[in-house]
Amino acid sequence: MFASSMSPSFLPHPPPPPPPHTYSSSGAPCVVCQRCVRVWCTGRRGERERERERERERERERERERERERERTKTLEYDILPPPRVISLPLRPSGLNALQLFVPPRSPSLTCDSGRSDMAACCRNLHKCSNALRLLRFHQLQNDRFLSTSSSRLASSSDKTDKPGKFVPPSKPVIIDKTQTVASQRKFLSPEFIPPRQRTDPLKFSLERKDMIRRRKVLDIPEFYAGSILAVTMADPNASGKVNRFVGICIQRGGKGLGATFVLRNIIDNQGVEMCYELYNPRIQQVEVLKLEKRLDDNLLYLRDALPEYSTVQQDMKPIPVSTTGDVPLNKLKVKMRPKPWSKRWERPKYNVQGIAFEQILTAEQLEHAQKWAQPWLEYDMLKEYDTSQLQEDIMKEVQREMAKH
Amino acid sequence: MGFLIETSIKVQQRTFRASSAAAAIQKMTRVRVVDNSSLGNTPYHKAPRVIHVYTKNGIGKVGDKVLLAIKGQKKKALIVGHKMPGDRMTPRFDSNNVVLIEESGNPTGTRIRVPIPTQLRSMDGDYSKVLAIASSFV
């Protein structure tokens, strides 16, 4: 790493050491830890406070555990409908199995380690439990496989009047395995598969498509649009760890065939950075969609002239799950712009920008003046017509067929 | 007269370029100094401008040295990012960034807060000291 601890010889001054805890005879709070209001502060009072806070946290955790235990071990009466037991099984066996988790830790039965208190042993197991709980919740989000056991729910309604205490065995669990159908829910053909209208031989495009499918079998390139937030990891011989991860909002998808590109934009340390990635470049190791959404335009180059908050994406952003069926969510955000001059005159009809809040920065006069550059005859120009619907269907079928082969 | 009389529309459309096509950093470009040196950060009534580019053609890309005019004095600098789109898989910045440098190649400042492209590491020339003071890479 280049943030070296030893200062190179050409640097003029080493960084100053951190200020020590101050002594105060007047009782003013210590400069460093702000809490010590004593004659002198050795800094340890802050530590004691922190220790106490940690203890309180542990107490609270233990309380919560005890509450949960009490709820679980309540005696069930069979004429009252018990709540359905939902057991979620994680996909990968590496995660904790939920059935393991529901065995509550019993504090008195824990073995005492020599020289350590019961309390400490409880705490350690509680930490494991809370970690396990967190893991479980995480897995629940990631792997949608639910086991629902509604015990005695169906039978008890009929038996209510006759014999209140009759035991009815629980019904068979219903396993809804959603993981298999995730990929095939929405039909999406990446725009670079559709060839442009050219006089070249269709053989060229079909050969390219073959190569594109071969690459897609190795690397999963997900569905995304301009406006989605992506994270791309690529192999970089110059980067530390040989891997370079960039997170950003996709502003443009260009190119057809193997040279298809997409541009990600982000603002890092108050500096706007854009990276143009080639989809089929072998250096790309992972393309992850953090937030899948569409915007009002299919190219967001105007974000360069918009306020920086619209282009900023957190580097450590977590992926937001989106439903796999139905339409991709459309974000009808109208972006606020910086004052003019802009890099391009976005108000002109040639760019056909829907996603800018023009009325906040331009007058009606200026907008009207921009309409002078309108070319209303373009939409009726038959020579510019290119109907890709049939082509799209054929290519989609071909691609799905080839992808399903292996 | 043998000259063709052009119509008024054609005269309006006739345009010509006074300067060459935009191509990254060249003479008279205003640049942004991104290190924490005093020369680069103290305000002045004129922005730092490039007065010479040390390449065969007069066009400076990432990793090229240029001569700047800052606060009435000449200073060498290294280009660490420009607005012009470059190769695929390389970053494009929203401003033309430059790091002040001495004749020996040592940077004048002590820290660079702005992200630096990683391709500087594999470029010819001793940029190790500039890379050492960089805080983040893109």
Side-chain angles (χ1 to χ4, degrees):
Chain A
M1 287 310 283
F2 275 84
S4 50
S5 50
M6 41 161 211
S7 50
S9 52
F10 59 90
L11 289 184
H13 307 289
H21 291 280
T22 45
Y23 294 162
S24 147
S25 55
S26 58
C30 163
V31 166
V32 176
C33 54
Q34 292 295 322
R35 285 188 199 182
C36 311
V37 190
R38 281 178 138 212
V39 175
W40 50 61
C41 152
T42 49
R44 278 199 239 119
R45 179 169 168 160
E47 278 180 34
R48 267 182 258 142
E49 289 235 14
R50 271 172 255 137
E51 202 38 65
R52 266 182 240 139
E53 285 252 22
R54 266 179 248 142
E55 289 245 30
R56 273 179 243 140
E57 252 306 314
R58 277 177 232 141
E59 267 295 336
R60 275 179 238 139
E61 271 288 343
R62 259 174 267 136
E63 273 298 324
R64 277 182 234 137
E65 266 304 307
R66 272 179 236 137
E67 285 246 16
R68 272 181 234 133
E69 218 189 287
R70 269 178 245 133
E71 277 197 43
R72 263 179 253 129
T73 53
K74 262 191 225 164
T75 50
L76 296 167
E77 286 132 24
Y78 284 96
D79 49 358
I80 303 168
L81 290 171
R85 260 186 332 168
V86 177
I87 305 168
S88 62
L89 286 178
L91 238 190
R92 287 167 229 114
S94 59
L96 259 189
N97 200 330
L99 297 168
Q100 282 175 15
L101 178 72
F102 281 119
V103 176
R106 300 209 179 260
S107 17
S109 62
L110 283 170
T111 51
C112 290
D113 283 344
S114 57
R116 297 204 191 171
S117 61
D118 253 334
M119 199 98 102
C122 285
C123 298
R124 267 184 278 116
N125 278 304
L126 266 170
H127 280 305
K128 279 187 219 156
C129 279
S130 53
N131 284 334
L133 271 169
R134 258 177 256 131
L135 248 181
L136 180 68
R137 270 178 237 134
F138 180 72
H139 277 289
Q140 272 183 343
L141 273 176
Q142 293 277 299
N143 317 305
D144 280 330
R145 237 213 268 170
F146 288 103
L147 260 181
S148 153
T149 57
S150 48
S151 45
S152 62
R153 184 168 258 224
L154 304 161
S156 61
S157 50
S158 53
D159 282 336
K160 239 185 179 166
T161 48
D162 301 325
K163 289 169 210 171
K166 187 180 178 185
F167 170 72
V168 179
S171 53
K172 263 193 173 170
V174 176
I175 302 171
I176 311 163
D177 192 11
K178 291 184 194 166
T179 51
Q180 297 302 313
T181 48
V182 160
S184 53
Q185 293 283 4
R186 193 174 16 235
K187 290 213 162 162
F188 172 71
L189 181 68
S190 221
E192 69 269 4
F193 278 104
I194 302 161
R197 191 173 65 153
Q198 277 180 0
R199 285 178 64 183
T200 51
D201 205 319
L203 177 69
K204 178 213 172 191
F205 300 122
S206 65
L207 288 175
E208 249 190 336
R209 254 176 273 139
K210 264 180 139 176
D211 280 336
M212 282 150 77
I213 291 166
R214 269 182 80 185
R215 176 66 186 160
R216 274 180 185 251
K217 285 185 184 161
V218 175
L219 171 73
D220 168 46
I221 298 172
E223 168 191 5
F224 66 96
Y225 304 87
S228 319
I229 297 176
L230 304 191
V232 175
T233 30
M234 79 170 179
D236 192 351
N238 304 321
S240 53
K242 304 297 174 207
V243 155
N244 190 349
R245 183 171 195 256
F246 189 78
V247 179
I249 184 167
C250 175
I251 55 175
Q252 190 187 35
R253 276 193 85 159
K256 298 284 178 199
L258 284 168
T261 56
F262 61 99
V263 182
L264 294 186
R265 181 180 167 80
N266 198 352
I267 297 189
I268 308 172
D269 296 333
N270 293 326
Q271 170 72 58
V273 184
E274 288 178 10
M275 281 284 261
C276 181
Y277 287 102
E278 287 168 317
L279 273 170
Y280 298 98
N281 194 320
R283 278 168 68 185
I284 291 186
Q285 294 175 350
Q286 191 201 23
V287 178
E288 198 190 336
V289 174
L290 299 175
K291 185 176 187 189
L292 177 66
E293 67 174 7
K294 272 192 199 180
R295 292 277 202 110
L296 291 167
D297 312 292
D298 45 291
N299 98 36
L300 308 171
L301 290 168
Y302 54 80
L303 287 180
R304 290 175 190 163
D305 300 314
L307 294 175
E309 66 217 32
Y310 295 102
S311 313
T312 321
V313 179
Q314 299 300 321
Q315 294 270 343
D316 49 358
M317 181 170 163
K318 295 279 176 281
I320 297 173
V322 168
S323 78
T324 49
T325 51
D327 292 326
V328 174
L330 176 67
N331 189 352
K332 295 198 176 164
L333 176 67
K334 295 242 174 186
V335 138
K336 295 200 182 81
M337 301 293 274
R338 283 208 207 105
K340 275 203 156 200
W342 298 331
S343 58
K344 296 255 186 289
R345 295 175 211 256
W346 301 112
E347 73 276 9
R348 293 217 176 150
K350 151 177 170 190
Y351 298 106
N352 193 19
V353 168
Q354 306 295 322
I356 297 181
F358 285 117
E359 39 317 310
Q360 293 190 16
I361 194 134
L362 296 178
T363 58
E365 222 177 41
Q366 283 170 309
L367 289 170
E368 219 184 277
H369 180 67
Q371 292 304 316
K372 279 176 83 172
W373 280 268
Q375 294 176 308
W377 56 87
L378 272 185
E379 64 173 305
Y380 303 107
D381 193 340
M382 291 174 80
L383 282 181
K384 292 201 195 296
E385 277 176 11
Y386 184 36
D387 183 23
T388 51
S389 46
Q390 186 55 44
L391 203 58
Q392 201 164 339
E393 275 182 37
D394 296 336
I395 294 175
M396 174 115 77
K397 279 192 206 137
E398 181 191 332
V399 168
Q400 283 177 348
R401 209 188 329 129
E402 297 291 323
M403 289 296 286
K405 267 186 186 170
H406 297 286
Chain B
M1 314 274 174
F3 298 108
L4 288 165
I5 300 163
E6 292 178 24
T7 56
S8 59
I9 305 165
K10 282 226 177 114
V11 168
Q12 279 168 26
Q13 286 174 355
R14 200 185 345 131
T15 52
F16 54 90
R17 284 176 164 271
S19 50
S20 57
I25 297 182
Q26 49 190 16
K27 286 191 187 183
M28 297 304 276
T29 45
R30 289 162 297 182
V31 291
R32 176 188 169 198
V33 175
V34 292
D35 56 13
N36 63 349
S37 56
S38 54
L39 193 59
N41 290 57
T42 40
Y44 192 62
H45 60 273
K46 291 178 99 172
R49 266 182 200 256
V50 173
I51 50 178
H52 190 263
V53 182
Y54 293 102
T55 51
K56 287 280 160 73
N57 50 6
I59 291 166
K61 307 271 185 183
V62 173
D64 294 332
K65 300 223 173 79
V66 294
L67 185 63
L68 297 186
I70 300 185
K71 295 187 77 184
Q73 29 179 303
K74 294 182 278 193
K75 188 82 180 173
K76 270 204 173 174
L78 175 76
I79 300 174
V80 290
H82 49 72
K83 268 179 113 165
M84 176 159 161
D87 295 330
R88 297 302 99 82
M89 320 291 261
T90 54
R92 183 204 87 98
F93 296 88
D94 275 1
S95 58
N96 297 318
N97 298 340
V98 119
V99 168
L100 295 181
I101 237 172
E102 309 291 336
E103 293 297 327
S104 51
N106 298 344
T108 316
T110 55
R111 205 172 308 154
I112 303 173
R113 289 192 198 277
V114 150
I116 300 283
T118 47
Q119 70 242 36
L120 262 181
R121 220 167 277 195
S122 56
M123 280 194 173
D124 289 333
D126 188 24
Y127 303 133
S128 53
K129 293 181 181 148
V130 176
L131 294 164
I133 62 172
S135 53
S136 63
F137 291 91
V138 162

